[in-house]
Amino acid sequence: MKLQRMNRRALSLGALAVSGALALTACGSDDTGSSSGSSSSATAAAGSIKCDDAKGQLLADGSSAQKNAIDAWVKNFTQACSGVQVNYKGSGSGAGVTAFTQGQVAFAGSDSALKPEDVTASKAVCSGGQGIDLPMVAGPIAVAYNVSGVDNLVLDAATIAKIFDGKITNWNDAAIAKLNPDAQLPDLKIQPYHRSDESGTTDNFTKYLIAATPDNWKYEGGKAWQAKGGQAAAGSSGVAQGVKQTNGAIGYMELSYAKDGLGTVAVDTGASAPVKASSDGATKAVAAAQVVGTGSDLSLKLDYNTKAEGAYPLTLVTYEIACDKGNKAATLPATKAFLRYIASEDGQGILSGIDYAPIPDAIITKVRTTIEGLS
């Protein structure tokens, strides 16, 4: 009897140890790097992923804006679907679209919808079909700055445009001082940073300036930076690093990159109060977007000139680009499984915790239906 009691006690302690290890594993799976509240959703996501027949290596490239979100999604997905390797480069939207239309990747990420010439090019690799835009993740483009002694900064569209166009060159300029009467603005040269690579972030940033202050931003816009002067850096991470290392610097990047001591500008949109970059603000902006794509394409038109309360106007949507028909047989199961997961309630659910914004229900429901029809 004594031996039986000892055995029962050993089994009980063993169960406790296993339980504790599982709890630690669940905490460790919080790929978002956010509070423990996000950990449970990440763990739940891994448990509900449908792998189907997915296997092999899935190559993808494109938007660096969504790279932090993709990394979190890939971690969950590959934990559940161990037979799949997902390799997403994050070389920029322009590089991703090119790689897709040349048949080098199974899908691409782009912060700008496909242009007509891109759709035409995609027909060569999508046998009997074409490339389509699937809005998957939204995010505020933060205007991040590094100015010693300035913890809060308000700018409007006109002032932002003049700074990035080299028309305002010092932090104590009268236009900045008028918007920030309580700030101790230094006599310091402004060092604006922009993207050196073709970027959907640049496209959306300049679309905002064109819409909100056309008199002060005379450029056409697009993925390539057109204004003269300033410092150039590759990728959102490169811009963020440049701003961090330079007192007096300012740059545009996704909110998830605006960390480690960088301040973020509150944008005076004409609403009752300036709006800071946030996931909630981005979601409010995207909720008013219109689907302008045709057929299976779900490209959106955003209102960059919004004055709605709490809506952050500098918001982008990243699309995953895939063939509606004619996907390669070897990668179709993995492509559908991965896209299905990131569009799912669980996949979208981790975004707010890592400084992105989920796609509103009315739009993401259409995305899920479209993914199931990919062939």
Side-chain angles (χ1 to χ4, degrees), residues 5-355:
R5 283 196 299 272
M6 288 175 66
N7 285 341
R8 283 198 299 271
R9 178 173 174 78
L11 285 169
S12 177
L13 288 171
L16 273 172
V18 171
S19 174
L22 287 172
L24 286 171
T25 301
C27 291
S29 69
D30 183 9
D31 54 285
T32 66
S34 58
S35 64
S36 59
S38 295
S39 175
S40 59
S41 64
T43 307
S48 60
I49 293 170
K50 292 172 59 179
C51 303
D52 293 339
D53 298 322
K55 59 184 177 181
Q57 189 175 44
L58 195 60
L59 297 179
D61 196 4
S63 164
S64 66
Q66 69 168 355
K67 183 66 165 61
N68 292 336
I70 288 281
D71 287 348
W73 281 329
V74 167
K75 183 175 180 180
N76 275 351
F77 181 77
T78 54
Q79 282 177 347
C81 305
S82 57
V84 183
Q85 287 182 310
V86 182
N87 183 352
Y88 182 84
K89 288 185 179 179
S91 302
S93 297
V97 171
T98 298
F100 178 75
T101 56
Q102 292 180 351
Q104 298 170 0
V105 294
F107 72 92
S110 177
D111 309 321
S112 302
L114 291 169
K115 294 179 179 178
E117 58 266 32
D118 299 325
V119 174
T120 299
S122 73
K123 293 179 180 179
V125 295
C126 301
S127 180
Q130 66 181 47
I132 57 171
D133 300 289
L134 301 172
M136 201 67 74
V137 55
I141 302 172
V143 181
Y145 65 95
N146 175 11
V147 182
S148 296
V150 180
D151 297 325
N152 296 291
L153 186 67
V154 176
L155 297 175
D156 58 15
T159 310
I160 293 170
K162 291 174 183 177
I163 286 172
F164 282 90
D165 198 23
K167 300 296 194 314
I168 292 178
T169 59
N170 200 290
W171 281 108
N172 63 2
D173 187 275
I176 301 176
K178 183 178 180 180
L179 290 163
N180 299 274
D182 299 325
Q184 298 296 316
L185 297 169
D187 182 5
L188 178 67
K189 181 182 178 182
I190 298 174
Q191 302 267 16
Y193 274 78
H194 60 265
R195 290 282 288 272
S196 61
D197 52 323
E198 288 205 351
S199 160
T201 309
T202 295
D203 190 17
N204 284 275
F205 180 66
T206 54
K207 278 179 180 175
Y208 160 71
L209 296 176
I210 291 166
T213 184
D215 291 342
N216 294 298
W217 197 259
K218 300 292 189 179
Y219 304 98
E220 293 178 359
K223 293 188 180 77
W225 184 256
Q226 295 167 340
K228 305 300 181 184
Q231 307 292 325
S236 294
S237 58
V239 172
Q241 191 63 28
V243 176
K244 287 175 189 175
Q245 293 175 345
T246 310
N247 187 30
I250 187 169
Y252 58 91
M253 65 199 73
E254 292 67 42
L255 181 58
S256 63
Y257 291 90
K259 303 287 188 183
D260 302 328
L262 291 182
T264 57
V265 167
V267 179
D268 183 348
T269 64
S272 63
V275 186
K276 291 206 76 169
S278 71
S279 296
D280 287 345
T283 298
K284 287 178 181 177
V286 177
Q290 296 177 317
V291 176
V292 293
T294 58
S296 299
D297 188 89
L298 296 172
S299 56
L300 304 175
K301 182 179 180 180
L302 299 174
D303 180 7
Y304 295 99
N305 203 22
T306 180
K307 294 177 175 59
E309 296 295 327
Y312 185 73
L314 261 166
T315 294
L316 61 76
V317 170
T318 300
Y319 302 94
E320 310 313 331
I321 296 168
C323 297
D324 57 355
K325 299 175 184 176
N327 288 278
K328 294 178 181 177
T331 56
L332 177 60
T335 299
K336 289 184 71 169
F338 183 67
L339 295 181
R340 180 187 295 123
Y341 160 58
I342 67 178
S344 71
E345 186 175 344
D346 288 329
Q348 292 286 299
I350 70 172
L351 292 176
S352 295
I354 50 176
D355 293 323

